[in-house]
Amino acid sequence: MELSSKLEYALLALIELASNTTKKVPLTLSEITTKQPIPERYLEQVFTSLRRGGLVQSHRGSKGGYVLSREPWEITVLEVVISLEGEQKEKKRSDYCTLEKEAIYKVWQQANSASEKILSRYTLQDLCQMRDERKHNNPMYYI
C-alpha cells in the first residue's frame, strides 16, 4: 500500500477539521489550504469522496464549509483509505497458477492484512495528538 498524494491531502485536511471540532464551526476549503499546502481545486475532488464515504458533512451558505460527520476518535485512517481508494480487492488469479505465484499471493495477502490492522488502530484524534506531541518536542528558536 502506498501513500498517494490524494490520501495524504485528505489526511492533512481531516486533521485540520479534527483540530476544529471544539469550535463547531465549518471550515471552508480555502481556510484548509491556507493552513496546509494543498491545491484547492484538488481538495474539492478529495472532499467529494470523503462526503460520499460519510466522513465529512458539507454546510452551504455564507458560513458554510465542512465538518467531520463523527468525532475524531471515531474515524480511523483505514476508513479514510477506503473512502478514497475503495476496498482492497484480492487480485484475480489466473487459471494457470504456479507454486511460486501461490507463495507471492500468500505473502501479499498477509501484507495487506497487516496494513489494514495497523490503519484501523489509528484515528484522526491519534494523528492530531502525534502532531501536538511533535510541536511540543520541537520548539521554535528565534534569533
Side-chain angles (χ1 to χ4, degrees):
M1 185 176 295
E2 188 176 318
L3 179 62
S4 65
S5 59
K6 183 178 183 180
L7 180 56
E8 181 180 358
Y9 291 159
L11 290 169
L12 288 171
L14 290 171
I15 288 171
E16 289 302 325
L17 290 181
S19 299
N20 194 52
T21 55
T22 56
K23 298 175 187 170
K24 302 289 185 198
V25 178
L27 283 180
T28 64
L29 295 181
S30 59
E31 289 172 319
I32 294 170
T33 58
T34 58
K35 296 178 182 182
Q36 296 294 336
I38 306 169
E40 189 170 340
R41 293 188 61 87
Y42 191 59
L43 197 57
E44 290 172 8
Q45 298 169 12
V46 169
F47 267 77
T48 298
S49 297
L50 294 173
R51 192 175 41 75
R52 284 187 191 137
L55 300 179
V56 298
Q57 295 175 337
S58 61
H59 294 270
R60 295 182 183 260
S62 62
K63 295 185 181 183
Y66 290 91
V67 295
L68 294 177
S69 61
R70 293 178 277 152
E71 296 296 331
W73 59 84
E74 297 176 323
I75 299 174
T76 67
V77 175
L78 181 61
E79 288 178 278
V80 178
V81 172
I82 290 171
S83 79
L84 291 174
E85 299 176 0
E87 295 270 354
Q88 292 290 328
K89 296 180 182 172
E90 189 175 317
K91 185 178 177 188
K92 191 170 183 171
R93 299 180 188 189
S94 62
D95 293 336
Y96 180 73
C97 200
T98 64
L99 294 175
E100 294 84 1
K101 283 185 179 181
E102 283 293 324
I104 292 168
Y105 286 125
K106 184 175 181 176
V107 169
W108 219 253
Q109 284 176 324
Q110 289 176 1
N112 280 332
S113 177
S115 67
E116 285 180 6
K117 284 180 186 175
I118 291 169
L119 294 174
S120 68
R121 276 191 231 146
Y122 290 97
T123 65
L124 295 179
Q125 183 68 36
D126 295 328
L127 295 177
C128 289
Q129 287 174 343
M130 287 178 196
R131 177 205 53 201
D132 294 343
E133 287 171 8
R134 300 267 311 174
K135 272 186 190 177
H136 295 308
N137 292 335
N138 293 329
M140 295 286 290
Y141 296 102
Y142 297 98
I143 298 176

